[in-house]
PDB file of all heavy atoms in Angstrom:
ATOM      1  N   GLN A   1     127.540  51.617  39.065  1.00  0.00           N
ATOM      2  CA  GLN A   1     127.639  51.984  37.658  1.00  0.00           C
ATOM      3  C   GLN A   1     128.940  51.469  37.040  1.00  0.00           C
ATOM      4  O   GLN A   1     129.932  51.321  37.781  1.00  0.00           O
ATOM      5  CB  GLN A   1     127.525  53.487  37.479  1.00  0.00           C
ATOM      6  CG  GLN A   1     126.140  54.037  37.757  1.00  0.00           C
ATOM      7  CD  GLN A   1     126.011  55.479  37.337  1.00  0.00           C
ATOM      8  OE1 GLN A   1     126.976  56.271  37.413  1.00  0.00           O
ATOM      9  NE2 GLN A   1     124.849  55.912  36.897  1.00  0.00           N
ATOM     10  N   ARG A   2     128.892  51.220  35.751  1.00  0.00           N
ATOM     11  CA  ARG A   2     130.117  50.865  35.075  1.00  0.00           C
ATOM     12  C   ARG A   2     131.065  52.058  35.053  1.00  0.00           C
ATOM     13  O   ARG A   2     130.661  53.183  34.836  1.00  0.00           O
ATOM     14  CB  ARG A   2     129.753  50.446  33.624  1.00  0.00           C
ATOM     15  CG  ARG A   2     130.837  49.703  32.925  1.00  0.00           C
ATOM     16  CD  ARG A   2     130.353  49.145  31.575  1.00  0.00           C
ATOM     17  NE  ARG A   2     129.335  48.135  31.780  1.00  0.00           N
ATOM     18  CZ  ARG A   2     128.937  47.364  30.769  1.00  0.00           C
ATOM     19  NH1 ARG A   2     129.415  47.456  29.555  1.00  0.00           N
ATOM     20  NH2 ARG A   2     128.017  46.454  31.024  1.00  0.00           N
ATOM     21  N   GLU A   3     132.342  51.785  35.316  1.00  0.00           N
ATOM     22  CA  GLU A   3     133.330  52.842  35.365  1.00  0.00           C
ATOM     23  C   GLU A   3     134.524  52.436  34.508  1.00  0.00           C
ATOM     24  O   GLU A   3     134.896  51.273  34.407  1.00  0.00           O
ATOM     25  CB  GLU A   3     133.771  53.104  36.797  1.00  0.00           C
ATOM     26  CG  GLU A   3     134.483  51.953  37.474  1.00  0.00           C
ATOM     27  CD  GLU A   3     135.075  52.288  38.819  1.00  0.00           C
ATOM     28  OE1 GLU A   3     135.159  53.483  39.173  1.00  0.00           O
ATOM     29  OE2 GLU A   3     135.526  51.340  39.510  1.00  0.00           O
ATOM     30  N   MET A   4     135.175  53.466  33.908  1.00  0.00           N
ATOM     31  CA  MET A   4     136.346  53.226  33.137  1.00  0.00           C
ATOM     32  C   MET A   4     137.566  53.025  34.077  1.00  0.00           C
ATOM     33  O   MET A   4     137.756  53.819  34.978  1.00  0.00           O
ATOM     34  CB  MET A   4     136.653  54.340  32.141  1.00  0.00           C
ATOM     35  CG  MET A   4     137.745  53.938  31.169  1.00  0.00           C
ATOM     36  SD  MET A   4     137.947  55.113  29.793  1.00  0.00           S
ATOM     37  CE  MET A   4     138.546  56.542  30.632  1.00  0.00           C
ATOM     38  N   VAL A   5     138.326  51.987  33.814  1.00  0.00           N
ATOM     39  CA  VAL A   5     139.491  51.645  34.610  1.00  0.00           C
ATOM     40  C   VAL A   5     140.761  52.185  33.968  1.00  0.00           C
ATOM     41  O   VAL A   5     141.593  52.737  34.670  1.00  0.00           O
ATOM     42  CB  VAL A   5     139.566  50.125  34.785  1.00  0.00           C
ATOM     43  CG1 VAL A   5     140.870  49.712  35.483  1.00  0.00           C
ATOM     44  CG2 VAL A   5     138.348  49.601  35.521  1.00  0.00           C
ATOM     45  N   ALA A   6     140.858  51.973  32.670  1.00  0.00           N
ATOM     46  CA  ALA A   6     142.094  52.401  31.971  1.00  0.00           C
ATOM     47  C   ALA A   6     141.802  52.498  30.488  1.00  0.00           C
ATOM     48  O   ALA A   6     140.879  51.877  29.971  1.00  0.00           O
ATOM     49  CB  ALA A   6     143.201  51.368  32.192  1.00  0.00           C
ATOM     50  N   PHE A   7     142.624  53.286  29.774  1.00  0.00           N
ATOM     51  CA  PHE A   7     142.563  53.315  28.338  1.00  0.00           C
ATOM     52  C   PHE A   7     143.989  53.415  27.784  1.00  0.00           C
ATOM     53  O   PHE A   7     144.917  53.869  28.492  1.00  0.00           O
ATOM     54  CB  PHE A   7     141.680  54.433  27.807  1.00  0.00           C
ATOM     55  CG  PHE A   7     142.282  55.828  27.919  1.00  0.00           C
ATOM     56  CD1 PHE A   7     143.113  56.314  26.907  1.00  0.00           C
ATOM     57  CD2 PHE A   7     142.050  56.627  29.000  1.00  0.00           C
ATOM     58  CE1 PHE A   7     143.656  57.585  27.020  1.00  0.00           C
ATOM     59  CE2 PHE A   7     142.602  57.876  29.118  1.00  0.00           C
ATOM     60  CZ  PHE A   7     143.418  58.370  28.138  1.00  0.00           C
ATOM     61  N   ILE A   8     144.125  53.007  26.523  1.00  0.00           N
ATOM     62  CA  ILE A   8     145.423  53.106  25.860  1.00  0.00           C
ATOM     63  C   ILE A   8     145.169  53.536  24.438  1.00  0.00           C
ATOM     64  O   ILE A   8     144.223  53.078  23.798  1.00  0.00           O
ATOM     65  CB  ILE A   8     146.175  51.743  25.922  1.00  0.00           C
ATOM     66  CG1 ILE A   8     147.557  51.852  25.373  1.00  0.00           C
ATOM     67  CG2 ILE A   8     145.392  50.617  25.222  1.00  0.00           C
ATOM     68  CD1 ILE A   8     148.467  50.675  25.720  1.00  0.00           C
ATOM     69  N   THR A   9     145.980  54.454  23.933  1.00  0.00           N
ATOM     70  CA  THR A   9     145.773  54.975  22.612  1.00  0.00           C
ATOM     71  C   THR A   9     146.174  53.981  21.544  1.00  0.00           C
ATOM     72  O   THR A   9     146.771  52.965  21.827  1.00  0.00           O
ATOM     73  CB  THR A   9     146.514  56.318  22.432  1.00  0.00           C
ATOM     74  OG1 THR A   9     147.915  56.099  22.743  1.00  0.00           O
ATOM     75  CG2 THR A   9     145.964  57.394  23.365  1.00  0.00           C
ATOM     76  N   ASP A  10     145.912  54.341  20.285  1.00  0.00           N
ATOM     77  CA  ASP A  10     146.049  53.374  19.171  1.00  0.00           C
ATOM     78  C   ASP A  10     147.446  52.778  19.054  1.00  0.00           C
ATOM     79  O   ASP A  10     147.626  51.579  18.867  1.00  0.00           O
ATOM     80  CB  ASP A  10     145.626  54.000  17.871  1.00  0.00           C
ATOM     81  CG  ASP A  10     146.282  55.343  17.570  1.00  0.00           C
ATOM     82  OD1 ASP A  10     147.053  55.831  18.420  1.00  0.00           O
ATOM     83  OD2 ASP A  10     146.031  55.884  16.490  1.00  0.00           O
ATOM     84  N   THR A  11     148.469  53.651  19.227  1.00  0.00           N
ATOM     85  CA  THR A  11     149.837  53.137  19.097  1.00  0.00           C
ATOM     86  C   THR A  11     150.379  52.583  20.385  1.00  0.00           C
ATOM     87  O   THR A  11     151.466  52.030  20.410  1.00  0.00           O
ATOM     88  CB  THR A  11     150.764  54.290  18.665  1.00  0.00           C
ATOM     89  OG1 THR A  11     150.772  55.309  19.653  1.00  0.00           O
ATOM     90  CG2 THR A  11     150.348  54.868  17.328  1.00  0.00           C
ATOM     91  N   GLY A  12     149.646  52.808  21.507  1.00  0.00           N
ATOM     92  CA  GLY A  12     150.119  52.406  22.761  1.00  0.00           C
ATOM     93  C   GLY A  12     151.016  53.418  23.425  1.00  0.00           C
ATOM     94  O   GLY A  12     151.562  53.176  24.533  1.00  0.00           O
ATOM     95  N   TYR A  13     151.149  54.597  22.810  1.00  0.00           N
ATOM     96  CA  TYR A  13     152.072  55.586  23.326  1.00  0.00           C
ATOM     97  C   TYR A  13     151.582  56.190  24.635  1.00  0.00           C
ATOM     98  O   TYR A  13     152.374  56.554  25.503  1.00  0.00           O
ATOM     99  CB  TYR A  13     152.250  56.698  22.287  1.00  0.00           C
ATOM    100  CG  TYR A  13     153.195  57.796  22.720  1.00  0.00           C
ATOM    101  CD1 TYR A  13     154.582  57.564  22.656  1.00  0.00           C
ATOM    102  CD2 TYR A  13     152.771  59.018  23.209  1.00  0.00           C
ATOM    103  CE1 TYR A  13     155.520  58.546  23.042  1.00  0.00           C
ATOM    104  CE2 TYR A  13     153.653  60.006  23.602  1.00  0.00           C
ATOM    105  CZ  TYR A  13     155.029  59.753  23.517  1.00  0.00           C
ATOM    106  OH  TYR A  13     155.900  60.736  23.886  1.00  0.00           O
ATOM    107  N   TYR A  14     150.255  56.329  24.771  1.00  0.00           N
ATOM    108  CA  TYR A  14     149.710  56.980  25.971  1.00  0.00           C
ATOM    109  C   TYR A  14     148.647  56.101  26.585  1.00  0.00           C
ATOM    110  O   TYR A  14     147.796  55.506  25.906  1.00  0.00           O
ATOM    111  CB  TYR A  14     149.108  58.322  25.574  1.00  0.00           C
ATOM    112  CG  TYR A  14     148.571  59.090  26.742  1.00  0.00           C
ATOM    113  CD1 TYR A  14     149.468  59.754  27.607  1.00  0.00           C
ATOM    114  CD2 TYR A  14     147.210  59.190  27.044  1.00  0.00           C
ATOM    115  CE1 TYR A  14     148.985  60.459  28.738  1.00  0.00           C
ATOM    116  CE2 TYR A  14     146.755  59.860  28.149  1.00  0.00           C
ATOM    117  CZ  TYR A  14     147.617  60.485  28.981  1.00  0.00           C
ATOM    118  OH  TYR A  14     147.176  61.168  30.077  1.00  0.00           O
ATOM    119  N   ALA A  15     148.688  56.045  27.906  1.00  0.00           N
ATOM    120  CA  ALA A  15     147.681  55.326  28.644  1.00  0.00           C
ATOM    121  C   ALA A  15     147.363  56.120  29.929  1.00  0.00           C
ATOM    122  O   ALA A  15     148.175  56.907  30.399  1.00  0.00           O
ATOM    123  CB  ALA A  15     148.156  53.951  29.051  1.00  0.00           C
ATOM    124  N   ASP A  16     146.152  55.919  30.419  1.00  0.00           N
ATOM    125  CA  ASP A  16     145.834  56.576  31.672  1.00  0.00           C
ATOM    126  C   ASP A  16     144.839  55.668  32.460  1.00  0.00           C
ATOM    127  O   ASP A  16     144.287  54.741  31.898  1.00  0.00           O
ATOM    128  CB  ASP A  16     145.180  57.940  31.447  1.00  0.00           C
ATOM    129  CG  ASP A  16     145.335  58.905  32.602  1.00  0.00           C
ATOM    130  OD1 ASP A  16     145.939  58.486  33.640  1.00  0.00           O
ATOM    131  OD2 ASP A  16     144.853  60.028  32.526  1.00  0.00           O
ATOM    132  N   TYR A  17     144.716  55.996  33.735  1.00  0.00           N
ATOM    133  CA  TYR A  17     144.028  55.104  34.671  1.00  0.00           C
ATOM    134  C   TYR A  17     143.110  55.867  35.595  1.00  0.00           C
ATOM    135  O   TYR A  17     143.341  57.045  35.928  1.00  0.00           O
ATOM    136  CB  TYR A  17     145.094  54.373  35.509  1.00  0.00           C
ATOM    137  CG  TYR A  17     146.066  53.588  34.685  1.00  0.00           C
ATOM    138  CD1 TYR A  17     147.202  54.218  34.185  1.00  0.00           C
ATOM    139  CD2 TYR A  17     145.863  52.251  34.385  1.00  0.00           C
ATOM    140  CE1 TYR A  17     148.116  53.508  33.418  1.00  0.00           C
ATOM    141  CE2 TYR A  17     146.734  51.543  33.583  1.00  0.00           C
ATOM    142  CZ  TYR A  17     147.883  52.157  33.124  1.00  0.00           C
ATOM    143  OH  TYR A  17     148.760  51.477  32.344  1.00  0.00           O
ATOM    144  N   ALA A  18     142.083  55.167  36.080  1.00  0.00           N
ATOM    145  CA  ALA A  18     141.308  55.708  37.165  1.00  0.00           C
ATOM    146  C   ALA A  18     142.169  55.825  38.419  1.00  0.00           C
ATOM    147  O   ALA A  18     143.092  55.019  38.639  1.00  0.00           O
ATOM    148  CB  ALA A  18     140.126  54.792  37.452  1.00  0.00           C
ATOM    149  N   ASP A  19     141.898  56.857  39.224  1.00  0.00           N
ATOM    150  CA  ASP A  19     142.709  57.067  40.404  1.00  0.00           C
ATOM    151  C   ASP A  19     142.715  55.842  41.294  1.00  0.00           C
ATOM    152  O   ASP A  19     143.751  55.565  41.977  1.00  0.00           O
ATOM    153  CB  ASP A  19     142.178  58.292  41.173  1.00  0.00           C
ATOM    154  CG  ASP A  19     142.481  59.581  40.523  1.00  0.00           C
ATOM    155  OD1 ASP A  19     143.329  59.605  39.630  1.00  0.00           O
ATOM    156  OD2 ASP A  19     141.821  60.582  40.884  1.00  0.00           O
ATOM    157  N   SER A  20     141.633  55.131  41.345  1.00  0.00           N
ATOM    158  CA  SER A  20     141.517  53.969  42.259  1.00  0.00           C
ATOM    159  C   SER A  20     142.445  52.799  41.893  1.00  0.00           C
ATOM    160  O   SER A  20     142.697  51.932  42.720  1.00  0.00           O
ATOM    161  CB  SER A  20     140.069  53.470  42.256  1.00  0.00           C
ATOM    162  OG  SER A  20     139.652  53.098  40.927  1.00  0.00           O
ATOM    163  N   VAL A  21     143.012  52.792  40.652  1.00  0.00           N
ATOM    164  CA  VAL A  21     143.884  51.718  40.236  1.00  0.00           C
ATOM    165  C   VAL A  21     145.268  52.161  39.853  1.00  0.00           C
ATOM    166  O   VAL A  21     146.134  51.296  39.553  1.00  0.00           O
ATOM    167  CB  VAL A  21     143.220  50.912  39.070  1.00  0.00           C
ATOM    168  CG1 VAL A  21     141.824  50.471  39.396  1.00  0.00           C
ATOM    169  CG2 VAL A  21     143.285  51.659  37.747  1.00  0.00           C
ATOM    170  N   LYS A  22     145.509  53.442  39.876  1.00  0.00           N
ATOM    171  CA  LYS A  22     146.848  53.924  39.483  1.00  0.00           C
ATOM    172  C   LYS A  22     147.909  53.331  40.380  1.00  0.00           C
ATOM    173  O   LYS A  22     147.796  53.257  41.582  1.00  0.00           O
ATOM    174  CB  LYS A  22     146.867  55.456  39.584  1.00  0.00           C
ATOM    175  CG  LYS A  22     146.408  56.177  38.343  1.00  0.00           C
ATOM    176  CD  LYS A  22     146.524  57.678  38.463  1.00  0.00           C
ATOM    177  CE  LYS A  22     145.998  58.352  37.202  1.00  0.00           C
ATOM    178  NZ  LYS A  22     146.060  59.840  37.298  1.00  0.00           N
ATOM    179  N   GLY A  23     148.983  52.906  39.720  1.00  0.00           N
ATOM    180  CA  GLY A  23     150.090  52.282  40.442  1.00  0.00           C
ATOM    181  C   GLY A  23     149.910  50.784  40.684  1.00  0.00           C
ATOM    182  O   GLY A  23     150.882  50.139  41.099  1.00  0.00           O
ATOM    183  N   ARG A  24     148.734  50.253  40.413  1.00  0.00           N
ATOM    184  CA  ARG A  24     148.460  48.820  40.638  1.00  0.00           C
ATOM    185  C   ARG A  24     148.141  48.106  39.337  1.00  0.00           C
ATOM    186  O   ARG A  24     148.478  46.951  39.172  1.00  0.00           O
ATOM    187  CB  ARG A  24     147.281  48.633  41.606  1.00  0.00           C
ATOM    188  CG  ARG A  24     147.546  49.238  43.014  1.00  0.00           C
ATOM    189  CD  ARG A  24     146.441  48.863  43.973  1.00  0.00           C
ATOM    190  NE  ARG A  24     145.130  49.363  43.544  1.00  0.00           N
ATOM    191  CZ  ARG A  24     144.080  48.576  43.310  1.00  0.00           C
ATOM    192  NH1 ARG A  24     144.166  47.263  43.491  1.00  0.00           N
ATOM    193  NH2 ARG A  24     142.912  49.126  42.985  1.00  0.00           N
ATOM    194  N   PHE A  25     147.482  48.807  38.409  1.00  0.00           N
ATOM    195  CA  PHE A  25     147.067  48.195  37.117  1.00  0.00           C
ATOM    196  C   PHE A  25     147.899  48.782  35.989  1.00  0.00           C
ATOM    197  O   PHE A  25     148.263  49.969  36.008  1.00  0.00           O
ATOM    198  CB  PHE A  25     145.604  48.482  36.834  1.00  0.00           C
ATOM    199  CG  PHE A  25     144.601  47.788  37.719  1.00  0.00           C
ATOM    200  CD1 PHE A  25     144.981  47.135  38.879  1.00  0.00           C
ATOM    201  CD2 PHE A  25     143.249  47.834  37.402  1.00  0.00           C
ATOM    202  CE1 PHE A  25     144.037  46.501  39.691  1.00  0.00           C
ATOM    203  CE2 PHE A  25     142.290  47.204  38.193  1.00  0.00           C
ATOM    204  CZ  PHE A  25     142.725  46.523  39.362  1.00  0.00           C
ATOM    205  N   THR A  26     148.157  47.974  34.975  1.00  0.00           N
ATOM    206  CA  THR A  26     148.864  48.357  33.800  1.00  0.00           C
ATOM    207  C   THR A  26     148.124  47.860  32.579  1.00  0.00           C
ATOM    208  O   THR A  26     147.894  46.649  32.440  1.00  0.00           O
ATOM    209  CB  THR A  26     150.276  47.856  33.775  1.00  0.00           C
ATOM    210  OG1 THR A  26     150.969  48.323  34.979  1.00  0.00           O
ATOM    211  CG2 THR A  26     151.061  48.373  32.549  1.00  0.00           C
TER     212      THR A  26
END
């Protein structure tokens, strides 16, 4: 299934990641 990897808010102030990519993807 399609899964979310990361998102970033409108101003770029906040971003979050799937556990599987944390620390590797930005």
Side-chain angles (χ1 to χ4, degrees):
Q1 287 190 328
R2 195 171 295 191
E3 62 172 350
M4 190 169 68
V5 173
F7 74 87
I8 187 166
T9 55
D10 52 357
T11 62
Y13 182 77
Y14 183 76
D16 205 0
Y17 303 86
D19 287 344
S20 58
V21 307
K22 273 184 181 176
R24 300 188 298 122
F25 290 11
T26 303

